[in-house]
Amino acid sequence: MNVLGIETSCDETAAAVVVDGVEVKSNVVSSQIDKHAAFGGVVPELAAREHLNNISVVVETALSESGLTISDIDAVAATCRPGLVPALLVGLSYAKGLAAAGSLPLVGVNHFVGHIYSCFLQDPDLLTREDLYPLVALVVSGGHTSIISISAEGETEILGQTIDDAAGEAFDKAAKILDLGYPGGPVIDRLAKAGDPAAIDFPRSLTGGNGKPVSAENRFNFSFSGVKTALLYAVRDKQLSDQEIKDVVASYQAAIVDVLAAKTFAAAAALNAGSVLVCGGVACNSALRTVVTYRAEKEKRRLVIAPAKYCTDNAVMIAGTGYHMYAAGMIEGLETPAKARLGDTLGCLPFTPLAGV
Ligand code: KG4
Ligand code: ZN
């Protein structure tokens, strides 16, 4: 089954053609980073206007690179939540137009679920592996920082999430404070390689590591506003040398990565999870990849990290998830609304080995 995926939830206009959820025929991502860089973050209306300018050419390029035409497409999948509503509406409306014109099914995909699905794109055999479950997934991006449990039947529970900034947002805001450009994650990752992660002892919030006990409710929740404020105080009114900036960002990155890894593996231990998934834009972070790899080996849990090219926003994960949703009958068709929020539950995932059993 050939699925055309469309993604416009934030600042990437993306389209992809994926066969049967796993065979990637094309993957086109047009980034608007340059347009938002001057603002140090994504401006929703600007994002929507840029999606409108780009969407036709991005979809046409995805089709032509796949070697297929719209008449070969069996379903259209588009991100419908969560995200910036003006941005979501561009891709979702475009997808609805294509679906209506071609009498094709339209599948509205949850972007967050798409990020989880991206973990299976490197090795699709994992989709049938019952022994991976129950698993714990860390979804860590510019919009989300959440720990989810997933059963082999696809049942999900959000175990914890950030109570303020997402980890990606914490990287982006730090880069803004230090005038390093946008998005902050990749540049901090690069500079931190030449810095000392022990130079500044930044707070590890909601871990109990700072002497304050963690309430049961916040056991798997995150908070990154404190470390961001600590960074602001550490650099305010100072002329830092290049090496000092590298030390600051290495220490800051270490504080964020430590907390992400500690909470994820604590959740995995609490659930006796067979495996840990890590996905979303911040899963590109080299320090995070190193730390979770070390922890997984030490604690003998299988680690599945999304391939770097599918960590940041893309439409392959949307087309892939859409394929499984279509197969499971999870479609709202042309009635699909666009929604800003994730919602309190993710519901059942359609791509686990016992989904629908
Ligand atoms: O998943 P994504 O493309 O968009 C959202 O769904 O939010 O994630 C974008 C986020 C940005 O905050 C960016 O700074 C962060 O991912 N990011 C990184 C790295 N690459 C991207 N953060 C840390 N290290 C990286 N190498
Ligand atoms: Zn994303």
Side-chain angles (χ1 to χ4, degrees), residues 224-275:
F224 295 110
S225 63
V227 67
K228 181 191 64 191
T229 308
L231 173 114
L232 181 64
Y233 287 152
V235 303
R236 202 169 49 172
D237 303 327
K238 287 198 183 127
Q239 283 296 330
L240 298 178
S241 67
D242 285 353
Q243 186 55 49
E244 283 169 330
I245 289 179
K246 288 172 186 162
D247 291 344
V248 168
V249 295
S251 304
Y252 184 77
Q253 175 178 274
I256 293 175
V257 165
D258 276 0
V259 178
L260 291 172
K263 298 238 172 191
T264 305
F265 281 88
L271 264 76
N272 201 14
S275 10

Side-chain angles (χ1 to χ4, degrees), residues 7 9-10 12 82 111-112 115 139-144 280-281 311-314 317:
E7 154 63 40
S9 67
C10 192
E12 258 95 33
H111 179 87
F112 189 91
H115 273 302
V139 183
V140 63
S141 71
H144 304 283
C311 282
T312 46
D313 289 350
N314 66 86
M317 66 187 197

Side-chain angles (χ1 to χ4, degrees), residues 21-339:
V22 289
E23 191 192 330
V24 181
K25 289 281 189 192
S26 62
N27 174 24
V28 179
V29 181
S30 167
S31 173
Q32 309 173 0
I33 282 172
D34 295 350
K35 302 276 190 275
H36 300 279
F39 303 97
V42 179
V43 182
E45 189 182 322
L46 183 58
R49 285 174 191 274
E50 286 301 309
H51 287 311
L52 203 54
N53 287 340
N54 299 337
I55 187 84
S56 300
V57 65
V58 166
V59 169
E60 275 161 26
T61 308
L63 282 169
S64 69
E65 285 184 5
S66 73
L68 302 175
T69 66
I70 190 69
S71 55
D72 300 312
I73 297 298
D74 302 303
V76 184
T79 306
C80 64
R81 74 184 306 173
L84 306 169
V85 169
L88 285 169
L89 283 172
V90 176
L92 184 59
S93 304
Y94 195 90
K96 285 185 181 183
L98 283 178
S103 301
L104 297 171
L106 185 273
V107 191
V109 175
N110 185 318
H111 179 87
F112 189 91
V113 173
H115 273 302
I116 295 172
Y117 186 72
S118 69
C119 293
F120 297 96
L121 285 165
Q122 187 143 281
D123 180 6
D125 288 346
L126 293 173
L127 286 164
T128 57
R129 292 285 298 269
E130 257 180 76
D131 61 326
L132 293 184
Y133 297 84
L135 62 77
V136 160
L138 171 68
V139 183
V140 63
S141 71
H144 304 283
T145 304
S146 306
I147 300 177
I148 326 289
S149 68
I150 305 173
S151 74
E153 289 77 16
E155 284 152 13
T156 56
E157 188 185 347
I158 300 176
L159 301 174
Q161 49 197 331
T162 180
I163 57 173
D164 41 54
D165 292 341
E169 216 177 343
F171 279 113
D172 295 339
K173 287 179 176 172
K176 195 172 178 184
I177 292 169
L178 293 164
D179 208 13
L180 298 175
Y182 172 83
V187 61
I188 288 178
D189 192 352
R190 184 170 48 79
L191 292 175
K193 289 194 168 85
D196 175 7
I200 302 176
D201 187 17
F202 282 119
R204 271 67 169 162
S205 307
L206 302 184
T207 59
N210 51 6
K212 289 190 195 146
V214 183
S215 64
E217 131 191 71
N218 281 325
R219 192 154 70 121
F220 303 130
N221 281 342
F222 299 96
S223 166
F224 295 110
S225 63
V227 67
K228 181 191 64 191
T229 308
L231 173 114
L232 181 64
Y233 287 152
V235 303
R236 202 169 49 172
D237 303 327
K238 287 198 183 127
Q239 283 296 330
L240 298 178
S241 67
D242 285 353
Q243 186 55 49
E244 283 169 330
I245 289 179
K246 288 172 186 162
D247 291 344
V248 168
V249 295
S251 304
Y252 184 77
Q253 175 178 274
I256 293 175
V257 165
D258 276 0
V259 178
L260 291 172
K263 298 238 172 191
T264 305
F265 281 88
L271 264 76
N272 201 14
S275 10
V276 171
L277 307 191
V278 183
C279 56
V282 179
C284 290
N285 186 268
S286 50
L288 178 63
R289 292 175 94 92
T290 304
V291 172
V292 293
T293 302
Y294 171 79
R295 289 288 298 259
E297 270 169 23
K298 197 168 150 224
E299 295 172 33
K300 302 202 175 6
R301 298 188 202 284
R302 180 192 282 267
L303 176 69
V304 187
I305 312 186
K309 66 180 168 183
Y310 299 131
C311 282
T312 46
D313 289 350
N314 66 86
V316 172
M317 66 187 197
I318 304 304
T321 307
Y323 163 78
H324 290 278
M325 290 179 70
Y326 177 77
M330 294 164 71
I331 46 174
E332 284 181 90
L334 298 178
E335 304 296 311
T336 307
K339 293 193 175 161

